[in-house]
């Protein structure tokens, strides 16, 4: 294998990332909310030896973050909970990482810490968390506890052009960074050997090895400790999707991985520079932030070339497909060469978004991964160990509260 082997994951979102994906013959539209649909997808990804699957989620119906929900009935307009999907597939998989999206804006960090720690136990050390903000008034109305102002059309245009967002959006990401910090502290609030389980002395835990975190911040006041023992990984993997300097800074403050969206024309260089600059601004120390490039893919199948599949799907939906991530439509060999090229430019890994979940994930397993094997740049078996080891992150994570 090459000295710098590729890291490769996949992002799952319903029937696929194209709005017409559910209308494809193989998409099993009547099963989108069934356990078997999701276990089949994830076991296919594990057969492909991928590093992880991430599960998309939000507190609103699927659609663009800055776009109001509409009354369209020709698209999938429902979601099931990403964390619970991950919990369902954990027992039927053995190696692949599981990274659900859980929002921070309307979710208490104590609940997040407990649920991700539990997933780490049920998956035997394969849990991650993609932290996401909920930035719309529509999402806030589900809870009624706070007001979130929608951006105006002028603010959206200015933000897209400059990458600079209004102050209340900065607050959302400051809150998200605090939420991740609270979660991480709660994961450390039990030392690794806090559980004694000594029947003779009637002591289940050593209370001296449970710690108050006493977090006091602008958004949260959390005493701790957790009621869930420290996860098997110590610190499950934290990820974030970022498109702008503000969110690169959030990722550099809080995450282990950042999913970014370079353009096909410019390549990854400009984004890598912005991520590095953001890490310098927030004075990140310790382990460097891993950068994973997102690509939305429509691969050639035995029946139809990728570009033709994309054109047909867009004709079905009545509009040209658009994505925040670079769009690839073509052969597995051409995609393999693109991944190798971007990896050589400094991208740590890739997260593929299947345009049609079943068809494109099968093409990743049956066409792309063999193409990478022929080039000697991707594993031929899982090495064993937790998700952190699979991603080349340190596995011996010190507990900030542990005493010598």
């Amino acid at each position: 294998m090459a000295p710098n082997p590729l890291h490769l994951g996949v992002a799952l979102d319903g029937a696929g990332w194209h709005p017409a994906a559910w209308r494809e013959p193989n998409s099993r539209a009547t099963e989108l909310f069934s356990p078997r649909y999701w276990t089949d997808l994830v076991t296919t990804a594990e057969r492909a030896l991928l590093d992880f699957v991430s599960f998309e989620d939000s507190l609103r119906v699927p659609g663009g973050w800055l776009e109001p929900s509409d009354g369209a009935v020709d698209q999938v307009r429902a979601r099931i909970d990403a964390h619970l999907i991950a919990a369902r597939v954990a027992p039927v998989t053995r190696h692949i990482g599981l990274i659900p999206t859980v929002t921070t804006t309307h979710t208490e960090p104590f609940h997040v810490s407990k649920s991700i720690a539990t997933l780490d136990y049920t998956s035997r050390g394969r849990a991650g968390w993609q932290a996401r903000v909920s930035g719309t008034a529509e999402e806030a109305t589900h809870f009624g506890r706070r007001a979130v102002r929608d951006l105006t059309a002028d603010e959206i245009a200015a933000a897209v052009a400059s990458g600079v967002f209004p102050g209340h959006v900065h607050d959302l990401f400051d809150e998200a960074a605090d939420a991740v910090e609270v979660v991480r502290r709660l994961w450390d609030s039990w030392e690794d050997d806090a559980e004694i389980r000594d029947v003779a002395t009637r002591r289940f835990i050593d209370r001296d090895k449970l710690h108050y975190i006493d977090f006091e911040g602008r958004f949260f006041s959390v005493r701790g400790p957790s009621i869930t023992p420290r996860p098997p990984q110590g610190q499950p993997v934290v990820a974030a999707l970022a498109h702008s300097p503000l969110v690169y800074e959030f990722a550099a403050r809080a995450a282990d991985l950042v999913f970014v969206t370079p353009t096909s024309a410019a390549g990854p260089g400009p984004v890598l520079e912005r991520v590095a600059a953001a890490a310098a601004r927030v004075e990140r120390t310790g382990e460097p932030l891993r950068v994973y490039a997102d690509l939305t893919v429509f691969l050639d199948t035995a029946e139809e070339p990728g570009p033709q599949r994309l054109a047909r799907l867009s004709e079905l939906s009545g509009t040209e497909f658009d994505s925040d991530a670079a769009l690839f439509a073509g052969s597995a060999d051409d995609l393999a060469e693109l991944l190798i090229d971007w990896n050589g430019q400094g991208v740590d890994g890739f997260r593929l978004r299947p345009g049609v979940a079943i068809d494109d994930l099968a093409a990743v397993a049956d066409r792309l991964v063999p193409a990478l094997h022929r080039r000697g740049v991707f594993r031929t078996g899982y090495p064993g160990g937790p998700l952190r080891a699979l991603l080349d992150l340190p596995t011996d994570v010190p507990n900030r509260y542990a005493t010598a």
Side-chain angles (χ1 to χ4, degrees), residues 202-230:
R202 297 185 296 176
R203 297 177 70 210
F204 185 83
I205 59 172
D206 181 345
R207 189 60 187 81
D208 291 336
K209 294 189 175 183
L210 271 61
H211 301 277
Y212 297 118
I213 70 168
D214 290 327
F215 182 91
E216 293 285 347
R218 180 181 169 196
F219 304 98
F220 303 105
S221 175
V222 180
R223 189 183 191 205
S226 178
I227 61 172
T228 305
R230 195 175 193 230

PDB file of all heavy atoms in Angstrom, residues 202-230:
ATOM      1  N   ARG A 202     -19.328  -4.063  48.204  1.00  0.00           N
ATOM      2  CA  ARG A 202     -20.544  -3.349  47.819  1.00  0.00           C
ATOM      3  C   ARG A 202     -20.235  -1.975  47.223  1.00  0.00           C
ATOM      4  O   ARG A 202     -20.934  -1.000  47.464  1.00  0.00           O
ATOM      5  CB  ARG A 202     -21.488  -3.219  49.014  1.00  0.00           C
ATOM      6  CG  ARG A 202     -21.988  -4.552  49.541  1.00  0.00           C
ATOM      7  CD  ARG A 202     -22.996  -4.394  50.642  1.00  0.00           C
ATOM      8  NE  ARG A 202     -22.410  -3.766  51.823  1.00  0.00           N
ATOM      9  CZ  ARG A 202     -23.103  -3.442  52.916  1.00  0.00           C
ATOM     10  NH1 ARG A 202     -24.408  -3.671  52.966  1.00  0.00           N
ATOM     11  NH2 ARG A 202     -22.490  -2.894  53.953  1.00  0.00           N
ATOM     12  N   ARG A 203     -19.177  -1.926  46.420  1.00  0.00           N
ATOM     13  CA  ARG A 203     -18.799  -0.670  45.768  1.00  0.00           C
ATOM     14  C   ARG A 203     -18.820  -0.872  44.252  1.00  0.00           C
ATOM     15  O   ARG A 203     -18.011  -1.634  43.710  1.00  0.00           O
ATOM     16  CB  ARG A 203     -17.416  -0.212  46.213  1.00  0.00           C
ATOM     17  CG  ARG A 203     -17.320   0.113  47.702  1.00  0.00           C
ATOM     18  CD  ARG A 203     -15.896   0.483  48.058  1.00  0.00           C
ATOM     19  NE  ARG A 203     -15.522   1.774  47.488  1.00  0.00           N
ATOM     20  CZ  ARG A 203     -14.275   2.098  47.136  1.00  0.00           C
ATOM     21  NH1 ARG A 203     -13.310   1.204  47.232  1.00  0.00           N
ATOM     22  NH2 ARG A 203     -14.012   3.300  46.662  1.00  0.00           N
ATOM     23  N   PHE A 204     -19.741  -0.198  43.577  1.00  0.00           N
ATOM     24  CA  PHE A 204     -19.794  -0.262  42.118  1.00  0.00           C
ATOM     25  C   PHE A 204     -18.811   0.728  41.505  1.00  0.00           C
ATOM     26  O   PHE A 204     -18.190   0.456  40.475  1.00  0.00           O
ATOM     27  CB  PHE A 204     -21.206   0.029  41.616  1.00  0.00           C
ATOM     28  CG  PHE A 204     -21.354  -0.141  40.121  1.00  0.00           C
ATOM     29  CD1 PHE A 204     -21.580  -1.393  39.569  1.00  0.00           C
ATOM     30  CD2 PHE A 204     -21.248   0.947  39.261  1.00  0.00           C
ATOM     31  CE1 PHE A 204     -21.692  -1.554  38.188  1.00  0.00           C
ATOM     32  CE2 PHE A 204     -21.361   0.795  37.888  1.00  0.00           C
ATOM     33  CZ  PHE A 204     -21.581  -0.465  37.354  1.00  0.00           C
ATOM     34  N   ILE A 205     -18.676   1.897  42.116  1.00  0.00           N
ATOM     35  CA  ILE A 205     -17.782   2.916  41.576  1.00  0.00           C
ATOM     36  C   ILE A 205     -16.892   3.459  42.683  1.00  0.00           C
ATOM     37  O   ILE A 205     -17.205   3.361  43.872  1.00  0.00           O
ATOM     38  CB  ILE A 205     -18.554   4.096  40.936  1.00  0.00           C
ATOM     39  CG1 ILE A 205     -19.466   4.772  41.964  1.00  0.00           C
ATOM     40  CG2 ILE A 205     -19.327   3.648  39.714  1.00  0.00           C
ATOM     41  CD1 ILE A 205     -20.104   6.037  41.449  1.00  0.00           C
ATOM     42  N   ASP A 206     -15.779   4.020  42.253  1.00  0.00           N
ATOM     43  CA  ASP A 206     -14.903   4.778  43.137  1.00  0.00           C
ATOM     44  C   ASP A 206     -15.296   6.242  42.975  1.00  0.00           C
ATOM     45  O   ASP A 206     -14.966   6.873  41.968  1.00  0.00           O
ATOM     46  CB  ASP A 206     -13.444   4.549  42.738  1.00  0.00           C
ATOM     47  CG  ASP A 206     -12.466   5.293  43.645  1.00  0.00           C
ATOM     48  OD1 ASP A 206     -12.904   6.190  44.391  1.00  0.00           O
ATOM     49  OD2 ASP A 206     -11.263   4.992  43.584  1.00  0.00           O
ATOM     50  N   ARG A 207     -16.004   6.759  43.950  1.00  0.00           N
ATOM     51  CA  ARG A 207     -16.557   8.116  43.822  1.00  0.00           C
ATOM     52  C   ARG A 207     -15.462   9.166  43.653  1.00  0.00           C
ATOM     53  O   ARG A 207     -15.693  10.221  43.052  1.00  0.00           O
ATOM     54  CB  ARG A 207     -17.411   8.440  45.058  1.00  0.00           C
ATOM     55  CG  ARG A 207     -18.203   9.744  44.943  1.00  0.00           C
ATOM     56  CD  ARG A 207     -19.164   9.667  43.761  1.00  0.00           C
ATOM     57  NE  ARG A 207     -19.838  10.938  43.506  1.00  0.00           N
ATOM     58  CZ  ARG A 207     -19.319  11.970  42.841  1.00  0.00           C
ATOM     59  NH1 ARG A 207     -18.082  11.889  42.375  1.00  0.00           N
ATOM     60  NH2 ARG A 207     -20.001  13.068  42.638  1.00  0.00           N
ATOM     61  N   ASP A 208     -14.252   8.888  44.119  1.00  0.00           N
ATOM     62  CA  ASP A 208     -13.157   9.843  43.966  1.00  0.00           C
ATOM     63  C   ASP A 208     -12.714   9.977  42.511  1.00  0.00           C
ATOM     64  O   ASP A 208     -11.968  10.905  42.180  1.00  0.00           O
ATOM     65  CB  ASP A 208     -11.961   9.433  44.822  1.00  0.00           C
ATOM     66  CG  ASP A 208     -12.245   9.569  46.312  1.00  0.00           C
ATOM     67  OD1 ASP A 208     -13.141  10.376  46.665  1.00  0.00           O
ATOM     68  OD2 ASP A 208     -11.596   8.871  47.101  1.00  0.00           O
ATOM     69  N   LYS A 209     -13.151   9.026  41.670  1.00  0.00           N
ATOM     70  CA  LYS A 209     -12.751   9.078  40.264  1.00  0.00           C
ATOM     71  C   LYS A 209     -13.881   9.569  39.352  1.00  0.00           C
ATOM     72  O   LYS A 209     -13.805   9.418  38.140  1.00  0.00           O
ATOM     73  CB  LYS A 209     -12.244   7.702  39.817  1.00  0.00           C
ATOM     74  CG  LYS A 209     -10.959   7.331  40.558  1.00  0.00           C
ATOM     75  CD  LYS A 209     -10.321   6.096  40.002  1.00  0.00           C
ATOM     76  CE  LYS A 209      -8.974   5.850  40.720  1.00  0.00           C
ATOM     77  NZ  LYS A 209      -8.258   4.694  40.170  1.00  0.00           N
ATOM     78  N   LEU A 210     -14.901  10.161  39.956  1.00  0.00           N
ATOM     79  CA  LEU A 210     -15.923  10.906  39.231  1.00  0.00           C
ATOM     80  C   LEU A 210     -15.725  12.376  39.553  1.00  0.00           C
ATOM     81  O   LEU A 210     -15.469  12.741  40.715  1.00  0.00           O
ATOM     82  CB  LEU A 210     -17.328  10.468  39.648  1.00  0.00           C
ATOM     83  CG  LEU A 210     -17.952   9.307  38.863  1.00  0.00           C
ATOM     84  CD1 LEU A 210     -17.144   8.039  38.991  1.00  0.00           C
ATOM     85  CD2 LEU A 210     -19.392   9.088  39.325  1.00  0.00           C
ATOM     86  N   HIS A 211     -15.838  13.226  38.539  1.00  0.00           N
ATOM     87  CA  HIS A 211     -15.424  14.619  38.713  1.00  0.00           C
ATOM     88  C   HIS A 211     -16.508  15.586  38.244  1.00  0.00           C
ATOM     89  O   HIS A 211     -17.127  15.402  37.191  1.00  0.00           O
ATOM     90  CB  HIS A 211     -14.141  14.881  37.920  1.00  0.00           C
ATOM     91  CG  HIS A 211     -13.005  14.005  38.321  1.00  0.00           C
ATOM     92  ND1 HIS A 211     -12.189  14.270  39.402  1.00  0.00           N
ATOM     93  CD2 HIS A 211     -12.552  12.827  37.802  1.00  0.00           C
ATOM     94  CE1 HIS A 211     -11.293  13.317  39.528  1.00  0.00           C
ATOM     95  NE2 HIS A 211     -11.478  12.421  38.563  1.00  0.00           N
ATOM     96  N   TYR A 212     -16.707  16.643  39.045  1.00  0.00           N
ATOM     97  CA  TYR A 212     -17.519  17.762  38.591  1.00  0.00           C
ATOM     98  C   TYR A 212     -16.744  18.497  37.504  1.00  0.00           C
ATOM     99  O   TYR A 212     -15.540  18.707  37.615  1.00  0.00           O
ATOM    100  CB  TYR A 212     -17.805  18.719  39.749  1.00  0.00           C
ATOM    101  CG  TYR A 212     -18.610  18.100  40.866  1.00  0.00           C
ATOM    102  CD1 TYR A 212     -18.068  17.990  42.154  1.00  0.00           C
ATOM    103  CD2 TYR A 212     -19.890  17.625  40.642  1.00  0.00           C
ATOM    104  CE1 TYR A 212     -18.796  17.417  43.182  1.00  0.00           C
ATOM    105  CE2 TYR A 212     -20.628  17.048  41.662  1.00  0.00           C
ATOM    106  CZ  TYR A 212     -20.081  16.942  42.928  1.00  0.00           C
ATOM    107  OH  TYR A 212     -20.800  16.372  43.940  1.00  0.00           O
ATOM    108  N   ILE A 213     -17.465  18.906  36.450  1.00  0.00           N
ATOM    109  CA  ILE A 213     -16.780  19.662  35.396  1.00  0.00           C
ATOM    110  C   ILE A 213     -16.907  21.160  35.643  1.00  0.00           C
ATOM    111  O   ILE A 213     -16.090  21.942  35.168  1.00  0.00           O
ATOM    112  CB  ILE A 213     -17.297  19.288  34.000  1.00  0.00           C
ATOM    113  CG1 ILE A 213     -18.734  19.791  33.757  1.00  0.00           C
ATOM    114  CG2 ILE A 213     -17.207  17.786  33.767  1.00  0.00           C
ATOM    115  CD1 ILE A 213     -19.164  19.694  32.306  1.00  0.00           C
ATOM    116  N   ASP A 214     -17.960  21.568  36.358  1.00  0.00           N
ATOM    117  CA  ASP A 214     -18.145  22.969  36.762  1.00  0.00           C
ATOM    118  C   ASP A 214     -17.916  23.936  35.610  1.00  0.00           C
ATOM    119  O   ASP A 214     -17.153  24.901  35.709  1.00  0.00           O
ATOM    120  CB  ASP A 214     -17.217  23.308  37.932  1.00  0.00           C
ATOM    121  CG  ASP A 214     -17.635  22.613  39.217  1.00  0.00           C
ATOM    122  OD1 ASP A 214     -18.857  22.417  39.396  1.00  0.00           O
ATOM    123  OD2 ASP A 214     -16.755  22.257  40.024  1.00  0.00           O
ATOM    124  N   PHE A 215     -18.587  23.666  34.489  1.00  0.00           N
ATOM    125  CA  PHE A 215     -18.462  24.551  33.322  1.00  0.00           C
ATOM    126  C   PHE A 215     -19.389  25.739  33.495  1.00  0.00           C
ATOM    127  O   PHE A 215     -20.596  25.589  33.683  1.00  0.00           O
ATOM    128  CB  PHE A 215     -18.815  23.801  32.032  1.00  0.00           C
ATOM    129  CG  PHE A 215     -18.649  24.648  30.798  1.00  0.00           C
ATOM    130  CD1 PHE A 215     -17.447  24.663  30.110  1.00  0.00           C
ATOM    131  CD2 PHE A 215     -19.695  25.452  30.331  1.00  0.00           C
ATOM    132  CE1 PHE A 215     -17.287  25.458  28.976  1.00  0.00           C
ATOM    133  CE2 PHE A 215     -19.532  26.238  29.204  1.00  0.00           C
ATOM    134  CZ  PHE A 215     -18.335  26.240  28.527  1.00  0.00           C
ATOM    135  N   GLU A 216     -18.844  26.937  33.407  1.00  0.00           N
ATOM    136  CA  GLU A 216     -19.622  28.175  33.459  1.00  0.00           C
ATOM    137  C   GLU A 216     -19.266  28.995  32.231  1.00  0.00           C
ATOM    138  O   GLU A 216     -18.128  29.437  32.071  1.00  0.00           O
ATOM    139  CB  GLU A 216     -19.296  28.974  34.728  1.00  0.00           C
ATOM    140  CG  GLU A 216     -19.730  28.310  36.017  1.00  0.00           C
ATOM    141  CD  GLU A 216     -21.237  28.401  36.246  1.00  0.00           C
ATOM    142  OE1 GLU A 216     -21.912  29.178  35.542  1.00  0.00           O
ATOM    143  OE2 GLU A 216     -21.738  27.682  37.129  1.00  0.00           O
ATOM    144  N   GLY A 217     -20.237  29.179  31.356  1.00  0.00           N
ATOM    145  CA  GLY A 217     -19.989  29.946  30.148  1.00  0.00           C
ATOM    146  C   GLY A 217     -21.167  30.836  29.824  1.00  0.00           C
ATOM    147  O   GLY A 217     -22.135  30.938  30.575  1.00  0.00           O
ATOM    148  N   ARG A 218     -21.079  31.461  28.683  1.00  0.00           N
ATOM    149  CA  ARG A 218     -22.137  32.375  28.254  1.00  0.00           C
ATOM    150  C   ARG A 218     -23.442  31.655  27.979  1.00  0.00           C
ATOM    151  O   ARG A 218     -24.516  32.200  28.201  1.00  0.00           O
ATOM    152  CB  ARG A 218     -21.651  33.109  26.994  1.00  0.00           C
ATOM    153  CG  ARG A 218     -22.638  34.096  26.412  1.00  0.00           C
ATOM    154  CD  ARG A 218     -22.046  34.718  25.162  1.00  0.00           C
ATOM    155  NE  ARG A 218     -23.025  35.476  24.418  1.00  0.00           N
ATOM    156  CZ  ARG A 218     -22.872  35.864  23.150  1.00  0.00           C
ATOM    157  NH1 ARG A 218     -21.735  35.563  22.520  1.00  0.00           N
ATOM    158  NH2 ARG A 218     -23.816  36.531  22.520  1.00  0.00           N
ATOM    159  N   PHE A 219     -23.362  30.405  27.522  1.00  0.00           N
ATOM    160  CA  PHE A 219     -24.556  29.696  27.076  1.00  0.00           C
ATOM    161  C   PHE A 219     -24.947  28.544  27.997  1.00  0.00           C
ATOM    162  O   PHE A 219     -26.112  28.138  28.005  1.00  0.00           O
ATOM    163  CB  PHE A 219     -24.327  29.148  25.660  1.00  0.00           C
ATOM    164  CG  PHE A 219     -23.937  30.200  24.662  1.00  0.00           C
ATOM    165  CD1 PHE A 219     -22.601  30.391  24.332  1.00  0.00           C
ATOM    166  CD2 PHE A 219     -24.901  31.012  24.089  1.00  0.00           C
ATOM    167  CE1 PHE A 219     -22.234  31.366  23.417  1.00  0.00           C
ATOM    168  CE2 PHE A 219     -24.547  31.983  23.174  1.00  0.00           C
ATOM    169  CZ  PHE A 219     -23.207  32.177  22.839  1.00  0.00           C
ATOM    170  N   PHE A 220     -23.998  27.992  28.735  1.00  0.00           N
ATOM    171  CA  PHE A 220     -24.276  26.812  29.549  1.00  0.00           C
ATOM    172  C   PHE A 220     -23.645  26.939  30.924  1.00  0.00           C
ATOM    173  O   PHE A 220     -22.565  27.529  31.077  1.00  0.00           O
ATOM    174  CB  PHE A 220     -23.718  25.538  28.881  1.00  0.00           C
ATOM    175  CG  PHE A 220     -24.229  25.293  27.491  1.00  0.00           C
ATOM    176  CD1 PHE A 220     -23.423  25.535  26.388  1.00  0.00           C
ATOM    177  CD2 PHE A 220     -25.518  24.823  27.282  1.00  0.00           C
ATOM    178  CE1 PHE A 220     -23.882  25.321  25.111  1.00  0.00           C
ATOM    179  CE2 PHE A 220     -25.994  24.609  26.011  1.00  0.00           C
ATOM    180  CZ  PHE A 220     -25.179  24.852  24.919  1.00  0.00           C
ATOM    181  N   SER A 221     -24.325  26.361  31.891  1.00  0.00           N
ATOM    182  CA  SER A 221     -23.770  26.191  33.224  1.00  0.00           C
ATOM    183  C   SER A 221     -24.028  24.735  33.608  1.00  0.00           C
ATOM    184  O   SER A 221     -25.156  24.354  33.891  1.00  0.00           O
ATOM    185  CB  SER A 221     -24.441  27.141  34.222  1.00  0.00           C
ATOM    186  OG  SER A 221     -23.982  26.905  35.527  1.00  0.00           O
ATOM    187  N   VAL A 222     -22.970  23.921  33.575  1.00  0.00           N
ATOM    188  CA  VAL A 222     -23.117  22.478  33.731  1.00  0.00           C
ATOM    189  C   VAL A 222     -22.152  22.011  34.815  1.00  0.00           C
ATOM    190  O   VAL A 222     -20.939  22.203  34.711  1.00  0.00           O
ATOM    191  CB  VAL A 222     -22.833  21.726  32.404  1.00  0.00           C
ATOM    192  CG1 VAL A 222     -22.990  20.227  32.603  1.00  0.00           C
ATOM    193  CG2 VAL A 222     -23.769  22.227  31.308  1.00  0.00           C
ATOM    194  N   ARG A 223     -22.690  21.373  35.830  1.00  0.00           N
ATOM    195  CA  ARG A 223     -21.846  20.910  36.925  1.00  0.00           C
ATOM    196  C   ARG A 223     -21.247  19.534  36.647  1.00  0.00           C
ATOM    197  O   ARG A 223     -20.089  19.276  36.939  1.00  0.00           O
ATOM    198  CB  ARG A 223     -22.649  20.867  38.227  1.00  0.00           C
ATOM    199  CG  ARG A 223     -21.772  20.595  39.439  1.00  0.00           C
ATOM    200  CD  ARG A 223     -22.576  20.471  40.711  1.00  0.00           C
ATOM    201  NE  ARG A 223     -21.704  20.464  41.888  1.00  0.00           N
ATOM    202  CZ  ARG A 223     -22.017  19.928  43.043  1.00  0.00           C
ATOM    203  NH1 ARG A 223     -23.198  19.334  43.202  1.00  0.00           N
ATOM    204  NH2 ARG A 223     -21.188  19.974  44.064  1.00  0.00           N
ATOM    205  N   GLY A 224     -22.039  18.592  36.128  1.00  0.00           N
ATOM    206  CA  GLY A 224     -21.557  17.234  35.966  1.00  0.00           C
ATOM    207  C   GLY A 224     -21.515  16.530  37.308  1.00  0.00           C
ATOM    208  O   GLY A 224     -21.972  17.073  38.317  1.00  0.00           O
ATOM    209  N   PRO A 225     -20.937  15.336  37.391  1.00  0.00           N
ATOM    210  CA  PRO A 225     -20.392  14.569  36.274  1.00  0.00           C
ATOM    211  C   PRO A 225     -21.492  13.936  35.429  1.00  0.00           C
ATOM    212  O   PRO A 225     -22.670  14.052  35.740  1.00  0.00           O
ATOM    213  CB  PRO A 225     -19.564  13.496  36.983  1.00  0.00           C
ATOM    214  CG  PRO A 225     -20.285  13.284  38.287  1.00  0.00           C
ATOM    215  CD  PRO A 225     -20.801  14.627  38.677  1.00  0.00           C
ATOM    216  N   SER A 226     -21.066  13.253  34.374  1.00  0.00           N
ATOM    217  CA  SER A 226     -22.010  12.484  33.568  1.00  0.00           C
ATOM    218  C   SER A 226     -22.568  11.329  34.396  1.00  0.00           C
ATOM    219  O   SER A 226     -22.033  10.982  35.452  1.00  0.00           O
ATOM    220  CB  SER A 226     -21.301  11.934  32.329  1.00  0.00           C
ATOM    221  OG  SER A 226     -22.180  11.141  31.555  1.00  0.00           O
ATOM    222  N   ILE A 227     -23.635  10.731  33.915  1.00  0.00           N
ATOM    223  CA  ILE A 227     -24.136   9.498  34.530  1.00  0.00           C
ATOM    224  C   ILE A 227     -23.774   8.277  33.691  1.00  0.00           C
ATOM    225  O   ILE A 227     -24.179   7.161  33.997  1.00  0.00           O
ATOM    226  CB  ILE A 227     -25.657   9.555  34.753  1.00  0.00           C
ATOM    227  CG1 ILE A 227     -26.411   9.717  33.425  1.00  0.00           C
ATOM    228  CG2 ILE A 227     -26.021  10.683  35.700  1.00  0.00           C
ATOM    229  CD1 ILE A 227     -27.912   9.594  33.566  1.00  0.00           C
ATOM    230  N   THR A 228     -22.987   8.511  32.626  1.00  0.00           N
ATOM    231  CA  THR A 228     -22.510   7.432  31.754  1.00  0.00           C
ATOM    232  C   THR A 228     -20.991   7.342  31.873  1.00  0.00           C
ATOM    233  O   THR A 228     -20.317   8.377  31.775  1.00  0.00           O
ATOM    234  CB  THR A 228     -22.899   7.701  30.290  1.00  0.00           C
ATOM    235  OG1 THR A 228     -24.309   7.889  30.207  1.00  0.00           O
ATOM    236  CG2 THR A 228     -22.486   6.550  29.387  1.00  0.00           C
ATOM    237  N   PRO A 229     -20.434   6.171  32.099  1.00  0.00           N
ATOM    238  CA  PRO A 229     -18.971   6.057  32.194  1.00  0.00           C
ATOM    239  C   PRO A 229     -18.273   6.560  30.944  1.00  0.00           C
ATOM    240  O   PRO A 229     -18.869   6.680  29.868  1.00  0.00           O
ATOM    241  CB  PRO A 229     -18.749   4.558  32.389  1.00  0.00           C
ATOM    242  CG  PRO A 229     -20.024   4.055  32.982  1.00  0.00           C
ATOM    243  CD  PRO A 229     -21.108   4.886  32.362  1.00  0.00           C
ATOM    244  N   ARG A 230     -16.977   6.847  31.103  1.00  0.00           N
ATOM    245  CA  ARG A 230     -16.197   7.358  29.981  1.00  0.00           C
ATOM    246  C   ARG A 230     -16.291   6.401  28.792  1.00  0.00           C
ATOM    247  O   ARG A 230     -16.177   5.182  28.951  1.00  0.00           O
ATOM    248  CB  ARG A 230     -14.728   7.522  30.394  1.00  0.00           C
ATOM    249  CG  ARG A 230     -13.912   8.377  29.413  1.00  0.00           C
ATOM    250  CD  ARG A 230     -12.520   8.613  29.932  1.00  0.00           C
ATOM    251  NE  ARG A 230     -11.843   9.662  29.157  1.00  0.00           N
ATOM    252  CZ  ARG A 230     -10.632   9.536  28.634  1.00  0.00           C
ATOM    253  NH1 ARG A 230      -9.947   8.413  28.792  1.00  0.00           N
ATOM    254  NH2 ARG A 230     -10.082  10.520  27.975  1.00  0.00           N
TER     255      ARG A 230
END
